[in-house]
Amino acid sequence: MTDYLKENEKIDDLQRCGLKIIQNPGKFCFGMDAVLLSGFMKVKRNEPAIDLGTGTGIIPILLTAKTEGVSFTGLEIQKDMADMARRSVEMNGLLDKVKIVNGDIKEADKLFGKAAFGVVSCNPPYMAKGKGKANPEDAFSIARHEVLVTLEDVVRQASLLLRPLGRFYMVHRPLRLAEIFEMLNKYSLEPKRMKMVHPFIDSPANMVLIEAVKGGGKELITEKPIIVYKEKGVYTDEIHEVYGY
């Protein structure tokens, strides 16, 4: 498997159906938010799915094991990250299920066509444009700050890419919920499910998982929250289940 590696890269075991992923710690590695989003999502066999800003390809790769879906696309603007994701897909023998495309989220509807997918997902940058210092050439900044794509860009493209009643899944920060709901409403995506993520049972939520439906009715279910740690350094049973170990 080391034949798939380039300089400074490593292979990590995803603890799920023998899947592995290539990562470069000097650039950007996936976090718990991506794993939790993959566990929150639902993809049926007849629903083509796309992950916007896929990074290392972690979400589409995990979804091949966690859902019934058989057609996944990962869109990534950074050429080196897209190349890394493609090699992970090949290494896992998933070329028949997962396609990695190097391209800009803001141009997704032109790349794939409108209403091309039944499911769209995104783990977008959390930091709003203009908040904090961000280097537009740095992989960490691109992943964390809205230097190349904004929340509105993501939601607009999700709406354009989705078929009627298709589902959009996103993980974000609760402090931006009001803005998120405003954007979803603006682009005809109706929030249907929401799940908060708390580091500890007595801690404020630091992540939120959202499912929205293109042209769906007005009904939002707030699901039981996820608690990450029983105590410092000890995951809850739910987190072990999501990770698969």
Side-chain angles (χ1 to χ4, degrees):
M1 283 194 175
T2 54
D3 292 343
Y4 292 100
L5 294 178
K6 293 186 177 180
E7 187 178 1
N8 299 321
E9 293 179 348
K10 62 174 183 171
I11 296 174
D12 289 326
D13 191 340
L14 294 176
Q15 305 291 326
R16 177 79 62 164
C17 300
L19 294 174
K20 293 176 172 54
I21 194 162
I22 299 168
Q23 301 201 91
N24 184 335
K27 294 188 177 178
F28 189 80
C29 296
F30 74 88
M32 181 176 289
D33 44 8
V35 180
L36 292 177
L37 183 59
S38 70
F40 181 71
M41 291 176 63
K42 299 175 182 178
V43 185
K44 300 174 185 175
R45 178 170 288 272
N46 63 342
E47 293 178 321
I50 184 168
D51 183 48
L52 303 178
T54 199
T56 58
I58 180 63
I59 288 177
I61 288 172
L62 281 177
L63 289 175
T64 63
K66 292 185 175 185
T67 72
E68 298 177 350
V70 295
S71 177
F72 299 95
T73 300
L75 178 64
E76 174 54 44
I77 193 168
Q78 299 178 81
K79 289 183 179 180
D80 53 347
M81 296 293 281
D83 173 66
M84 196 184 307
R86 285 193 195 100
R87 284 181 281 121
S88 287
V89 169
E90 183 178 359
M91 179 177 65
N92 285 295
L94 295 173
L95 290 173
D96 60 331
K97 290 186 176 182
V98 181
K99 179 182 179 182
I100 303 296
V101 177
N102 178 215
D104 191 340
I105 290 175
K106 297 189 294 294
E107 303 295 324
D109 62 316
K110 297 179 180 63
L111 289 170
F112 303 103
K114 293 180 173 63
F117 298 94
V119 174
V120 175
S121 63
C122 190
N123 178 7
Y126 295 149
M127 296 292 291
K129 192 172 184 179
K131 299 289 185 181
K133 295 180 180 179
N135 179 353
E137 303 299 324
D138 179 67
F140 290 96
S141 293
I142 290 170
R144 294 168 177 165
H145 298 258
E146 292 182 348
V147 294
L148 297 182
V149 66
T150 65
L151 174 63
E152 183 165 10
D153 293 331
V154 169
V155 175
R156 181 196 303 112
Q157 285 297 320
S159 183
L160 289 170
L161 292 170
L162 280 173
R163 300 168 178 173
L165 300 182
R167 299 184 305 287
F168 173 49
Y169 293 95
M170 182 170 62
V171 57
H172 218 292
R173 296 297 190 206
L175 60 84
R176 295 188 69 184
L177 260 179
E179 182 185 0
I180 290 168
F181 285 159
E182 180 183 354
M183 288 299 171
L184 292 174
N185 180 261
K186 181 177 179 179
Y187 292 101
S188 302
L189 292 167
E190 188 64 35
K192 304 296 285 184
R193 293 168 57 218
M194 183 173 72
K195 184 187 284 281
M196 292 290 188
V197 182
H198 300 252
F200 298 92
I201 196 167
D202 58 350
S203 299
N206 64 351
M207 283 186 272
V208 59
L209 302 164
I210 298 171
E211 175 192 273
V213 174
K214 174 76 175 286
K218 294 187 178 299
E219 180 181 286
L220 173 62
I221 297 172
T222 303
E223 298 184 349
K224 178 183 175 183
I226 295 173
I227 310 300
V228 176
Y229 296 104
K230 293 180 182 179
E231 56 186 83
K232 190 174 181 179
V234 182
Y235 285 141
T236 60
D237 293 343
E238 183 173 10
I239 294 299
H240 282 295
E241 183 178 342
V242 171
Y243 271 88
Y245 54 76

